[in-house]
Amino acid sequence: MADFVPRDKKHAVVYQIYIRSFCDSNGDGIGDLPGITSKLDYLAKLGIDYLWITPFYPSPMRDNGYDISDYTAVDPTYGTMDDFDELVAEAKKRHIGIMLDMVLCHTSRDHPWFQKAIAGDKEYQQYYFLKDGCNSKGPGDPGEPPTNWKAAFGGSAWEWEPHIGKWYLHLHDVSQPDLNWDNSKIRKEVENVVLFWKKRGVAGFRFDVINFVSKPAKFVDDTEGAGRPLFADGPHIHEYLQELVSTTGIDGMLTVGEMASTTLDNCIKYSNPDNHELAETFSFHHLKVDYANGDKWALKEADIAKLRGILYTWQRGMQEGGGWNALFWDNHDQPRAVTRFGGRAGEGEPNSDWEHVGKMLATTSFFLEGTPYIYEGDELGMTNAHYAKIDQYNDVESLNFYQILLKKGETEDEALHVLSERSRDNGRTPMQWSDGHAAGFTTGKPWLASPANYTSINAEAEVDKPGSIFEYYRNLVHLRHELEVLATGKVTCYEPGDEAPKVLLFERQIGDIRVVVTTSFDQKPCTVDASKLNVGELEPLVFNYKEAPQIQGDGTIALKPYEACAWITKGALNK
Ligand code: NOJ
Ligand code: CA
């Protein structure tokens, strides 16, 4: 078969698969590569262009594969290299490109490089950050950690390694030592990893916390306490990315960087094609609007005005600077957006809010400028897990923070409530294929339990059902492919007026074609001031209630709870 060329980033839609939870082919309760291959027809029906698959490389699975012990093999839990090659070939037949997750900021402790380092091999010790403690009384005495930096999953970012009498840096879990990219040998190693997979026919890459790889020249205490500003978007980050991209020849492929605690200016640099770094970037500021005082583990109602401000700033800034956004609400690190922005919508039986919220979120991400990402289950309206007991959780971060919350004085019930809203396991429950055993995900015992609503929220119930969330997504994917205005049209963001405090209002435009979009995050009705936009001269394109909202004579639009609508220049669909 002649090689197909997947769509470019402006016209493409990416679907993310958390392999552990997508489809289990052999009944061991864990999703795997053959499971993904068996569902390619489902994905082709949805119409997506790329599949980003989370790590399936050998790993002790302390962080479910983001702790890699061998970069160029397949963990037997997930299948074999032949299974991988088959997946790539079968996906190509359906014009789907595979994107792989490159976790190059850290390895697992079990990686042979780290094992050699702690066995005393001086060359491999240069692969990591190994430092003496502060206030040590001499060899063998740890003293205190070299800096006050905190690890993302709780506790100090430093761990004492008694074998060699040094502290090692781990910005995530203690089992994930950070690689030293200032050592050119590491940059050569990661180049080889990328080339290995590129040669096997992949179409793109997602780079895990890639903006943390360039550490500051001097390791000093962070006066804010967390250390993040010191190691995010570090001093050589652009240089290292440019080097990796040029030595591996991945410029022009669909590459996306996960940019934690980043800035707009840096993301413009990462994703402006003139810089030859990445195609696009994930940023996370819009998903922190429900953190009280910036703390993920302190609950607060989502501040939609703030969300709007952040999305508008990034839309305007990326457009002006020639950068490109990856657009998403969910991934394997986030609670489900349907629950997060829709209250208890979808708990127990699906209700009308649940369906409206799912479609409203999709409308927002598919009509903004950038590449939309669908996370497995978004297209069904999958919800949070609603677990009631701590032993139902698996995620290392959730288990660590549960203990931290208890130590802070919260009761078990309070801590469980926080987890039920914030745990990453909310986004990791098995894909809901049917109302059968284990939601049709496995014939065995699933590694993580499904929420009870799988009996009604599932693919079997939705794929061919007129008006389902699945059908809505399928239409949006099609429009992304067909309507140039959605791919390359200019974006202009508007304030929706005082009567619509929880609403987004924006326009896309190319030549004489305009699309006006409004999406409500409000559970109450509201009225949007679109008087400057002449929406009356357009025609409805997509909407999430039975009928499109009416435009009043004064140009205002009355929106129902969680209503979304896009209007387009009359006749544009046939052009
Ligand atoms: C981001 C990944 O998405 C997350 O799942 C992982 O735990 C951390 N990076 C560390 O690799
Ligand atoms: Ca399996």
Side-chain angles (χ1 to χ4, degrees), residues 104-141:
L104 305 170
C105 184
H106 45 258
T107 64
S108 159
R109 268 185 64 100
D110 290 9
H111 196 289
W113 299 339
F114 192 77
Q115 290 303 311
K116 285 183 196 160
I118 61 174
D121 186 320
K122 296 272 178 279
E123 185 181 344
Y124 286 96
Q125 290 183 354
Q126 302 304 315
Y127 275 34
Y128 296 91
F129 294 98
L130 303 171
K131 303 266 185 203
D132 293 324
C134 292
N135 306 323
S136 161
K137 296 198 184 71
D141 174 31

Side-chain angles (χ1 to χ4, degrees), residues 24-26 28 30-32 77:
D24 173 24
S25 71
N26 60 355
D28 66 356
I30 298 175
D32 45 47
T77 315

Side-chain angles (χ1 to χ4, degrees), residues 62 65 90 119 126 128 132 174 204 214 239 242 257 281 288 304 404 408-409 432 467 546 574:
R62 167 124 174 148
E90 288 297 319
Q126 302 304 315
Y128 296 91
D132 293 324
V174 59
S214 172
E239 180 189 321
Q242 284 162 13
T281 52
K288 297 183 179 173
I304 303 300
I404 291 171
K408 273 191 184 161
Q432 294 171 195
K546 285 209 170 58
N574 306 322

Side-chain angles (χ1 to χ4, degrees), residues 87-400:
L87 170 60
V88 172
E90 288 297 319
K92 266 189 194 160
K93 284 185 196 160
R94 292 159 179 87
H95 288 199
I96 295 173
I98 301 293
M99 287 168 75
L100 291 194
D101 214 320
M102 296 285 103
V103 189
L104 305 170
C105 184
H106 45 258
T107 64
S108 159
R109 268 185 64 100
D110 290 9
H111 196 289
W113 299 339
F114 192 77
Q115 290 303 311
K116 285 183 196 160
I118 61 174
D121 186 320
K122 296 272 178 279
E123 185 181 344
Y124 286 96
Q125 290 183 354
Q126 302 304 315
Y127 275 34
Y128 296 91
F129 294 98
L130 303 171
K131 303 266 185 203
D132 293 324
C134 292
N135 306 323
S136 161
K137 296 198 184 71
D141 174 31
E144 286 151 32
T147 66
N148 65 350
W149 301 354
K150 297 267 193 302
F153 300 159
S156 168
W158 295 96
E159 181 72 8
W160 176 248
E161 184 47 63
H163 291 94
I164 46 171
K166 302 265 184 207
W167 295 82
Y168 69 86
L169 178 68
H170 62 88
L171 295 180
H172 291 83
D173 186 55
V174 59
S175 65
Q176 293 166 307
D178 276 59
L179 284 167
N180 177 7
W181 278 54
D182 297 329
N183 178 353
S184 60
K185 284 191 183 149
I186 281 296
R187 304 206 300 280
K188 187 74 195 159
E189 297 274 15
V190 304
E191 174 192 325
N192 289 337
V193 173
V194 172
L195 281 174
F196 175 89
W197 292 106
K198 187 182 168 212
K199 286 185 190 137
R200 291 203 97 89
V202 308
F205 294 98
R206 178 261 189 190
F207 292 97
D208 189 70
V209 280
I210 196 69
N211 68 324
F212 279 17
V213 302
S214 172
K215 308 293 193 274
K218 278 199 182 141
F219 284 18
V220 291
D221 275 358
D222 172 37
T223 44
E224 303 277 309
R228 281 199 163 202
L230 295 176
F231 49 70
D233 306 315
H236 300 289
I237 183 63
H238 295 286
E239 180 189 321
Y240 291 165
L241 274 175
Q242 284 162 13
E243 181 186 280
L244 179 65
V245 167
S246 95
T247 53
T248 54
I250 58 171
D251 210 7
M253 291 174 86
L254 206 145
T255 53
V256 55
E258 185 200 29
M259 304 303 180
S261 305
T262 191
T263 64
L264 175 58
D265 283 349
N266 274 296
C267 284
I268 290 171
K269 288 191 188 134
Y270 294 131
S271 61
N272 182 316
D274 293 344
N275 289 347
H276 303 285
E277 296 182 27
L278 301 174
E280 55 200 51
T281 52
F282 286 118
S283 60
F284 298 89
H285 304 285
H286 67 298
L287 293 177
K288 297 183 179 173
V289 296
D290 53 5
Y291 292 8
N293 306 316
D295 178 0
K296 170 172 176 172
W297 305 97
L299 305 182
K300 184 183 100 165
E301 196 187 324
D303 180 341
I304 303 300
K306 196 168 169 190
L307 174 78
R308 178 173 58 232
I310 293 167
L311 290 176
Y312 283 11
T313 301
W314 281 75
Q315 285 288 303
R316 290 172 179 142
M318 289 295 248
Q319 176 167 267
E320 272 162 29
W324 197 252
N325 286 299
L327 303 167
F328 72 105
W329 294 110
D330 282 330
N331 65 30
H332 63 289
D333 294 330
Q334 299 292 332
R336 289 281 179 180
V338 165
T339 310
R340 189 171 194 175
F341 294 105
R344 306 312 289 192
E347 192 170 358
E349 289 299 302
N351 52 39
S352 55
D353 271 356
W354 158 80
E355 196 165 302
H356 295 136
V357 176
K359 292 177 181 177
M360 180 278 289
L361 291 166
T363 313
T364 309
S365 56
F366 272 75
F367 280 85
L368 286 171
E369 187 194 69
T371 305
Y373 281 65
I374 304 173
Y375 178 57
E376 62 181 41
D378 281 352
E379 75 279 20
L380 305 175
M382 277 177 58
T383 67
N384 274 358
H386 305 309
Y387 293 151
K389 294 195 206 121
I390 190 63
D391 60 13
Q392 290 178 287
Y393 287 92
N394 163 280
D395 169 33
V396 60
E397 181 195 44
S398 309
L399 296 174
N400 286 352

